[in-house]
Amino acid sequence: MNASPSVDLNADVGEATEADGIAVERELLNVVTSVNVACGGHAGDELSMRDTVEAACAHGVAVGAHPSYPDRLGFGRRPMDMGRAELEHSLREQMAALVEVCTAQGVRIRSVKAHGALYGVVGQGMDALGALLAAVDATCAPDTVLVLPAGSEAVGICRRAGRLVRQEGFCDRAYAADGTLVDRAVPGAVFTDPVQAARQAVELAGGGQIDTLCIHGDSPGAVAMARAVRQALERAGMVIGPAAA
């Protein structure tokens, strides 16, 4: 008898600064199975990392790093012209800061997922990917998983190099015909309807390629969408849990 298909449900957290936003992130910990913690590039500081990691551990949620371009003003969503060495240095600093926080709490970083504009550039598999991999090697354990855009060039590059990879899909973002995410500036690019997000999650998870599905903590109605997504996936026979590499 074949085992039921499984999928990880992740959220980007440690990004909120206001009480309401932090409350949303904490509520998401009741639904998701892994989190990507902002570590100072686009958001986050030592206090937010410490509190977020502590809360994730209390909920039994796996902890991952969420580094980005060093662009707090643009929330890491603007491309930056950085040389490989400069970018690698920034990413090392970000991940080392989270590693220090995790080590103090007896936790380890299980995965690394780039944020925002860097996520897209890393997916293309060029110098930004090399900088990220070098930073991961310098700061994290050898079996740390790379979370990458499903079907991207980076997935193939990493797998050929023997890297552990999860292919990610987005529950709350619209996709273009070529499989890339629709720009956030386009109306309808960010979903607000839990039913729409749940439907897309089931479609993505059922395709056999996706290992992990993301709900953005700063999306409108994030908690309602996360709950709807999880319920829909479970109704579809999916086992929700941290994805195998």
Side-chain angles (χ1 to χ4, degrees):
M1 183 175 181
N2 293 330
S4 299
S6 65
V7 66
D8 175 50
L9 191 57
N10 78 74
D12 301 337
V13 297
E15 299 174 331
T17 56
E18 302 297 329
D20 287 350
I22 294 172
V24 167
E25 292 187 350
R26 297 296 184 267
E27 279 295 312
L28 286 172
L29 296 176
N30 293 308
V31 186
V32 301
T33 48
S34 66
V35 288
N36 316 297
V37 181
C39 40
H42 65 290
D45 56 24
E46 183 179 356
L47 177 60
S48 69
M49 285 187 276
R50 187 190 69 203
D51 289 349
T52 301
V53 169
E54 183 178 0
C57 292
H59 285 78
V61 174
V63 174
H66 200 35
S68 68
Y69 284 124
D71 177 27
R72 297 180 80 88
L73 184 61
F75 200 66
R77 287 176 175 156
R78 305 179 298 189
M80 294 185 71
D81 185 12
M82 299 180 70
R84 175 170 170 164
E86 182 185 11
L87 178 58
E88 180 186 331
H89 178 74
S90 176
L91 296 174
R92 280 193 188 207
E93 286 192 330
Q94 292 175 53
M95 286 189 283
L98 183 60
V99 167
E100 184 175 351
V101 167
C102 287
T103 300
Q105 297 195 38
V107 187
R108 55 161 293 190
I109 292 175
R110 297 288 179 179
S111 59
V112 175
K113 170 189 167 183
H115 165 82
L118 182 61
Y119 179 84
V121 177
V122 162
Q124 296 170 16
M126 295 185 284
D127 278 353
L129 174 62
L132 179 63
L133 294 178
V136 170
D137 289 344
T139 57
C140 301
D143 60 347
T144 302
V145 177
L146 278 298
V147 179
L148 299 167
S152 65
E153 289 291 329
V155 170
I157 291 170
C158 288
R159 284 186 168 163
R160 287 192 293 274
R163 298 272 183 170
L164 302 177
V165 172
R166 288 183 194 163
Q167 299 199 68
E168 183 179 45
F170 291 87
C171 309
D172 53 6
R173 292 288 308 278
Y175 282 89
D178 64 357
T180 59
L181 294 173
V182 175
D183 190 280
R184 283 177 171 269
V186 176
V190 179
F191 296 167
T192 58
D193 180 7
V195 174
Q196 184 180 24
R199 183 184 306 116
Q200 177 156 294
V202 172
E203 290 173 356
L204 290 170
Q209 183 181 43
I210 301 297
D211 303 303
T212 184
L213 289 162
C214 178
I215 289 283
H216 288 95
D218 61 347
S219 290
V223 174
M225 277 197 288
R227 288 176 176 155
V229 163
R230 179 154 188 158
Q231 290 169 3
L233 291 169
E234 290 174 340
R235 286 197 299 268
M238 297 279 179
V239 175
I240 314 301

